[in-house]
Amino acid sequence: MNEIIEKIKPYVVQIASPYATGTGFYVPVYNLVITNEHVIRGCKTIVVQDFTGKRQIGTVVYLDTKHDLSMIRLSNPLTHLNEKLIFSSQSQIGTEVIALGHPYGLSFSSTFGIISNTDLEVEGISYIMHDAALNPGNSGGPLIDKSGEIIGINSSIFKEGKNIGIAIHGAFVEESLKAFINSNFTKGTKCPSCLHLNEDKTDNTNSCTICGMEIELISNLPEYTPIGIAKRVEDIIERLNYKPETCRRGQLSWELVKGSATINVNYHSKSGYLSAESILCNIPSDRVIELYQFLLQSNYNAKGLTFSIKENNIILSLMVYDQHLNEESTYILLEYLLQTSDEYDDVLVNKYKATWCN
């Protein structure tokens, strides 16, 4: 099983927008990422992060709201990936499956389960039902069997049951992929009523050319424009020489990387606080007292930053109340957090034998 997971893992990507995070998988022969429609909903472009950590902007080229399916074309093809992915045309009750993805926008994970239903009907659509554990962020990730074939795409957690997920049939995904490629459309939207694939052109109206039903053409979607707190934060991120578009990690959430440090920036609308934190490393198994003494001493000189421990993680963070979210002072604090995080994680690992986070 581990060999199969390692084989498919490089094809599983993280997806992020100003609204949500999720998972997708890359099909090299077509330079397309397959994911759920609800993951990229409302977006013309999307952030795609590959297994090496590199991010790029992808363009949404296919929408199927009825079957919760979408496709993204990458501006820079992942040329190091050339394995031909096989979509399974058959699934059976009792088949062992593996769900691959990036739950909660975190690093890669895999969970195991079995298929319990191959024809679960939900709102007139047939799904695969399985019990491989899924979490928010797993949506759009592949469900594979122990030979590495793609059984389906995980679409959601079945709310009526614990640890029960549903997946779009792999055969249907392959059929949709080939139909889009054969259409020669640059972009296309499938009508949820008559299932006609409409060519997406900038001068088209949002209606199906066959049945006239209202559909959502990608070209007619509004461009995302940050406002309020989001704009203030993104102005600061831009001053720090990052591209806000590739830092977005969901609603009012951003991720900045400097050297070996990763800083997660989040605005909490209920509390009115902007938080930024870096998980530096894990607590070592020995020299813990020396480490704690060092952290307490460092806290005294942290200049607005705070060292803390959460479970086994050592965290460096800051908090700013939105009424005090002045661009200049917040810029200085975030710049200091970036620099300090990149320095302290090395000190903690090299001097105090802390371990790197996965």
Side-chain angles (χ1 to χ4, degrees), residues 24-45:
F25 67 94
Y26 183 63
V27 183
V29 66
Y30 302 123
N31 185 35
L32 290 174
V33 171
I34 311 296
T35 188
N36 290 141
E37 181 274 332
H38 77 262
V39 171
I40 56 84
R41 187 169 297 161
C43 297
K44 289 183 176 181
T45 58

Side-chain angles (χ1 to χ4, degrees), residues 4-131:
I4 293 299
I5 293 171
E6 290 302 313
K7 178 183 176 181
I8 303 298
K9 178 179 177 179
Y11 296 83
V12 182
V13 299
Q14 290 191 52
I15 295 174
S17 79
Y19 313 112
T21 59
T23 302
F25 67 94
Y26 183 63
V27 183
V29 66
Y30 302 123
N31 185 35
L32 290 174
V33 171
I34 311 296
T35 188
N36 290 141
E37 181 274 332
H38 77 262
V39 171
I40 56 84
R41 187 169 297 161
C43 297
K44 289 183 176 181
T45 58
I46 213 82
V47 179
V48 177
Q49 179 173 310
D50 65 31
F51 81 106
T52 69
K54 292 182 180 178
R55 298 177 190 170
Q56 61 173 290
I57 300 296
T59 302
V60 178
V61 295
Y62 179 92
L63 290 180
D64 180 352
T65 56
K66 183 177 179 66
H67 298 95
D68 197 15
L69 188 65
S70 67
M71 303 177 198
I72 303 160
R73 179 166 286 119
L74 299 187
S75 51
N76 299 306
L78 305 181
T79 54
H80 55 287
L81 301 177
N82 51 30
E83 185 82 22
K84 183 179 179 181
L85 299 179
I86 299 174
F87 291 85
S88 175
S89 59
Q90 295 183 351
S91 57
Q92 296 180 346
I93 293 174
T95 297
E96 294 180 59
V97 290
I98 312 166
L100 308 178
H102 297 278
Y104 300 107
L106 302 175
S107 58
F108 177 86
S109 74
S110 59
T111 55
F112 298 80
I114 60 170
I115 293 176
S116 54
N117 193 336
T118 60
D119 190 21
L120 175 69
E121 188 170 312
V122 180
E123 297 180 355
I125 300 172
S126 174
Y127 291 95
I128 297 168
M129 185 167 71
H130 63 88
D131 63 359

